[in-house]
Amino acid sequence: PDAVNDVLRWASVIGRDVDFAVLADLVDGDEDDVLEALDVAIDARLVEETGAGRYRFVHALVRSTLLEEVRTTRRVRMHSKIGESIERRRPEDITALAHHFAEAATAGGLDKALEYNGRAGAQALDRAAFDEAAGYYRRALDLLEDTETEDPVLRIDLLIGLGTAQRSAGGGEHEAVLSDAAERARVLGDGIRMADALLAAHRGWGSVAFAVNEPLVGQIRQALDLLGVDDEAEARRVPLLSMVALELANDPGADLWPLLDDKTADMRRTAEE
């Protein structure tokens, strides 16, 4: 019946697993009508009930077939409405919000797509799901290309997130990403973000064996010069001083004592406060 097909189309756009409350928000008719449609789908072995108010397509092929019947423009608008429903009912479900608003970006959901994909990337980083985090940050950066006005600060934050995820996942791709973030921050005069980008690439030892990475040392000095004197800046000054001291350790002519004295003074002041 048409009513069952309509429910199933909405369910297919929601995903393999379907929350009844979200589905009922979207389908015309009252909740009993939606339940009856789902009962018909269960009897036809298209979906199954997995818990109170929870449903799942029995086979991924069923869902993909239904999705193919929904034209692109309609599907984009459906994702927007689904995202709005999840935002009301399950605001903690950041991954679902990131997915649906990204799919709805061309229908006016771009700002929310950027917000939720950035938050999903940070959430994945906290779970040590580094490849997943990198995927969210890449998607957010791709979406940022579609904005009419460039947001340089947001781009830097996303690049730092991506580089951090890539470094933790391994492979070496992070170096160019974090270097790009540091340079963009330098151009903006943002010492905090420049420091964050440089520190995100730091592994606790010199970047080059038996030599001095002069370009990196120059970047660290620039970041130190750009840092202010507030607590947020001071929290980055000490690790930056440690970082530049490690980089200069292979230079026999380098005078490290002024740097180390500054570091010690900063650590003492922080402890006293």
Side-chain angles (χ1 to χ4, degrees):
D2 290 341
V4 177
N5 284 330
D6 186 44
V7 168
L8 289 176
R9 274 192 292 272
W10 276 105
S12 71
V13 180
I14 291 173
R16 177 96 186 256
D17 294 287
V18 181
D19 182 342
F20 174 77
V22 172
L23 185 61
D25 271 351
L26 304 165
V27 178
D28 291 335
D30 58 30
E31 291 188 354
D32 286 338
D33 294 333
V34 179
L35 284 171
E36 288 180 12
L38 288 169
D39 285 341
V40 172
I42 291 171
D43 292 340
R45 300 179 183 276
L46 297 175
V47 299
E48 60 185 352
E49 195 173 22
T50 58
R54 303 294 301 177
Y55 296 85
R56 173 180 292 173
F57 282 96
V58 174
H59 298 292
L61 182 60
V62 173
R63 177 177 173 246
S64 64
T65 301
L66 287 161
L67 272 174
E68 289 173 1
E69 296 176 354
V70 184
R71 296 183 186 275
T72 301
T73 301
R74 183 179 298 277
R75 186 166 64 246
V76 166
R77 296 184 179 280
M78 290 170 77
H79 277 294
S80 180
K81 292 181 179 180
I82 292 166
E84 291 168 359
S85 175
I86 295 174
E87 200 172 35
R88 290 192 302 272
R89 294 186 173 275
R90 302 199 316 269
E92 75 286 352
D93 195 348
I94 303 300
T95 56
L97 290 166
H99 166 69
H100 289 294
F101 281 118
E103 293 295 324
T106 57
L110 183 56
D111 288 342
K112 289 185 177 182
L114 287 168
E115 175 192 350
Y116 285 118
N117 276 275
R119 289 174 61 184
Q123 191 178 76
L125 271 181
D126 289 341
R127 292 188 286 105
F130 303 123
D131 288 333
E132 183 181 334
Y136 285 120
Y137 284 121
R138 284 194 194 94
R139 182 160 64 181
L141 285 164
D142 288 342
L143 290 167
L144 195 60
E145 298 294 338
D146 295 329
T147 58
E148 294 181 0
T149 304
E150 168 73 4
D151 186 339
V153 172
L154 177 58
R155 182 177 292 278
I156 292 167
D157 289 341
L158 293 173
L159 286 169
I160 292 172
L162 174 59
T164 301
Q166 290 174 326
R167 186 204 66 192
S168 299
E173 296 176 305
H174 67 282
E175 294 179 358
V177 172
L178 292 172
S179 178
D180 183 21
E183 176 59 19
R184 289 173 181 273
R186 185 196 65 77
V187 171
L188 286 182
D190 190 332
I192 296 291
R193 285 180 170 80
M194 187 175 185
D196 286 344
L198 294 172
L199 291 170
H202 184 45
R203 292 184 176 272
W205 54 82
S207 59
V208 180
F210 310 115
V212 177
N213 187 339
E214 295 291 353
L216 179 57
V217 168
Q219 284 184 306
I220 298 170
R221 292 188 184 279
Q222 287 175 323
L224 287 166
D225 290 340
L226 288 173
L227 284 176
V229 294
D230 58 8
D231 292 342
E232 194 176 10
E234 291 303 310
R236 290 158 173 82
R237 190 179 304 279
V238 170
L240 275 179
L241 288 168
S242 297
M243 186 178 175
V244 73
L246 286 168
E247 292 295 336
L248 292 172
N250 290 316
D251 181 0
D255 184 6
L256 300 181
W257 290 113
L259 290 173
L260 296 175
D261 287 344
D262 286 345
K263 174 186 171 184
T264 303
D266 285 340
M267 293 175 69
R268 185 184 301 113
R269 182 170 59 254
T270 300
E272 289 173 352
E273 292 172 354

